[in-house]
């Protein structure tokens, strides 16, 4: 009986860690397509719910090709500006020069659901960079989901950044090389456009060449925030404020490597216990 209990504990631990390694980008949110373009945007798009973003209520958004959505007006800027000092109302999972004219896939967006709740999402999946070309091999896959949380309070919502693959960081018009590397590299975060403390945020590694790329020091696919899924970053907008990290410890724990998992399995049999660490 004791051996069975230990085996069950190990199986549950393996399941939890497997979840942390699952793909972050989820299916759906693709009922509409932003036609192939460079620096283009949609018109006004309905969210399907009301979002209180730092005291301003919005039920519509503009989807911009260059890795962001804006509330005030469309945005055609291709070289990312500092989100901590902008006057724009913006949410940007990966603000960089996306170019879908020739290679890669088009941007899709639309209504859907996230964990059973009403949501609006945008997919930048397998997108190319400027100047789009068939010979480009680097592609990025990331996603933004805005989730209705009116069950908590009027206007409350969640912001979800999902990343599956980040292989380029800028377009050649932003100073990158032919492989989309270097130059004025991507920024990820949000701002309400006032520049006031507490109304903006950028993920660590933004605007630092190589940092957000797969294998980089702050690789977007290799970490997470308020989620146990690698590549997923969740921010909670409550009563007009956006909570970046509600946990007491702002630094997420590491997920054990495969070699560590093998040692844990041995420890379960030999010691009858295991200490697990999970992503926060």
């Amino acid at each position: 009986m004791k051996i069975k209990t230990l085996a069950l504990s190990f199986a549950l631990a393996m399941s939890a860690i497997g979840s942390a390694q699952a793909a972050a980008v989820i299916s759906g949110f693709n009922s509409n397509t932003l036609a192939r373009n460079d620096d283009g945007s949609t018109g006004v798009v309905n969210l399907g719910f009301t979002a209180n973003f730092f005291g301003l209520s919005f039920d519509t958004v503009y989807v911009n090709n260059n890795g962001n959505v804006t509330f005030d007006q469309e945005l055609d800027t291709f070289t990312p500006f500092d989100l901590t000092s902008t006057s724009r109302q913006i949410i940007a999972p990966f603000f960089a020069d996306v170019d879908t004219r020739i290679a890669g896939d088009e941007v899709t967006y639309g209504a859907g659901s996230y964990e059973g709740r009403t949501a609006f999402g945008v997919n930048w999946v397998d997108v190319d960079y400027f100047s789009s070309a068939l010979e480009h091999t680097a592609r990025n896959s990331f996603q933004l989901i805005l989730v209705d949380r009116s069950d908590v309070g009027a206007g409350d919502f969640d912001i979800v950044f999902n990343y599956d693959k980040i292989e380029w960081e800028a377009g050649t018009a932003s100073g990158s090389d032919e492989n989309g590397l270097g130059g004025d590299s991507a920024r990820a975060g949000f701002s309400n456009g006032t520049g006031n403390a507490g109304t903006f945020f950028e993920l660590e590694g933004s605007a630092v060449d190589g940092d957000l790329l797969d294998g980089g020091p702050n690789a977007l696919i290799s970490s997470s925030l308020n989620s146990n899924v690698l590549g997923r970053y969740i921010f909670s907008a409550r009563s007009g404020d956006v909570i970046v990290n509600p946990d007491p410890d702002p630094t997420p724990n590491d997920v054990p490597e495969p070699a560590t998992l093998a040692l844990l399995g041995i420890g379960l049999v030999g010691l009858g216990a295991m200490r697990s660490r999970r992503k926060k």
Side-chain angles (χ1 to χ4, degrees), residues 164-223:
D164 273 0
K165 177 173 61 176
I166 302 296
E167 297 178 343
W168 62 264
E169 59 191 341
T172 57
S174 301
S176 80
D177 64 16
E178 65 275 14
N179 298 311
L181 305 177
D184 294 314
S185 54
R187 295 177 182 264
F190 52 80
S191 175
N192 79 334
T194 66
N196 295 331
T199 64
F200 54 78
F201 174 77
E202 283 191 346
L203 285 175
E204 186 175 359
S206 290
V208 180
D209 290 354
D211 261 35
L212 302 181
L213 294 169
D214 296 357
N218 290 290
L220 292 170
I221 68 166
S222 300
S223 190

Side-chain angles (χ1 to χ4, degrees), residues 29-37 42 63 105-110:
F29 310 108
N30 57 1
S31 56
N32 302 281
T33 300
L34 180 56
R36 291 187 178 277
N37 74 92
T42 67
V63 175
D105 291 345
E106 299 160 297
V107 175
T108 60
Y109 62 95

Side-chain angles (χ1 to χ4, degrees), residues 38 40 49 58 63-64 68-69 72-73 100 135 175 193 223 225 263:
D38 177 40
F49 57 91
F58 301 97
V63 175
N64 304 307
N68 62 80
V69 302
D72 46 3
Q73 63 185 49
T100 61
E135 59 266 27
S223 190
L225 184 67
L263 292 175

Side-chain angles (χ1 to χ4, degrees), residues 69-251:
V69 302
T70 44
F71 292 107
D72 46 3
Q73 63 185 49
E74 64 271 18
L75 181 67
D76 63 3
T77 302
F78 55 85
T79 297
F81 46 71
D82 187 350
L83 299 179
T84 69
S85 61
T86 181
S87 61
R88 301 303 305 269
Q89 296 156 357
I90 182 172
I91 300 176
F94 196 83
F95 186 5
D97 198 358
V98 175
D99 186 352
T100 61
R101 290 175 298 171
I102 297 175
D105 291 345
E106 299 160 297
V107 175
T108 60
Y109 62 95
S113 64
Y114 177 80
E115 296 186 347
R117 299 185 175 93
T118 299
F120 175 85
V122 186
N123 306 307
W124 291 267
V125 174
D126 286 325
V127 292
D128 195 15
Y129 56 93
F130 183 88
S131 179
S132 184
L134 293 176
E135 59 266 27
H136 288 175
T137 58
R139 294 286 187 272
N140 287 353
S141 290
F142 58 97
Q143 179 182 57
L144 168 66
I145 305 176
L146 304 178
V147 186
D148 180 14
R149 292 307 310 270
S150 56
D151 59 308
V152 178
D156 289 353
F157 69 106
D158 289 340
I159 301 170
V160 183
F161 292 173
N162 286 328
Y163 304 94
D164 273 0
K165 177 173 61 176
I166 302 296
E167 297 178 343
W168 62 264
E169 59 191 341
T172 57
S174 301
S176 80
D177 64 16
E178 65 275 14
N179 298 311
L181 305 177
D184 294 314
S185 54
R187 295 177 182 264
F190 52 80
S191 175
N192 79 334
T194 66
N196 295 331
T199 64
F200 54 78
F201 174 77
E202 283 191 346
L203 285 175
E204 186 175 359
S206 290
V208 180
D209 290 354
D211 261 35
L212 302 181
L213 294 169
D214 296 357
N218 290 290
L220 292 170
I221 68 166
S222 300
S223 190
S224 65
L225 184 67
N226 304 317
S227 171
N228 68 346
V229 177
L230 292 180
R232 179 165 296 163
Y233 302 73
I234 302 175
F235 311 92
S236 301
R238 300 291 184 266
S239 302
D241 293 325
V242 179
I243 304 168
V244 172
N245 193 338
D247 299 322
D249 178 6
T251 304

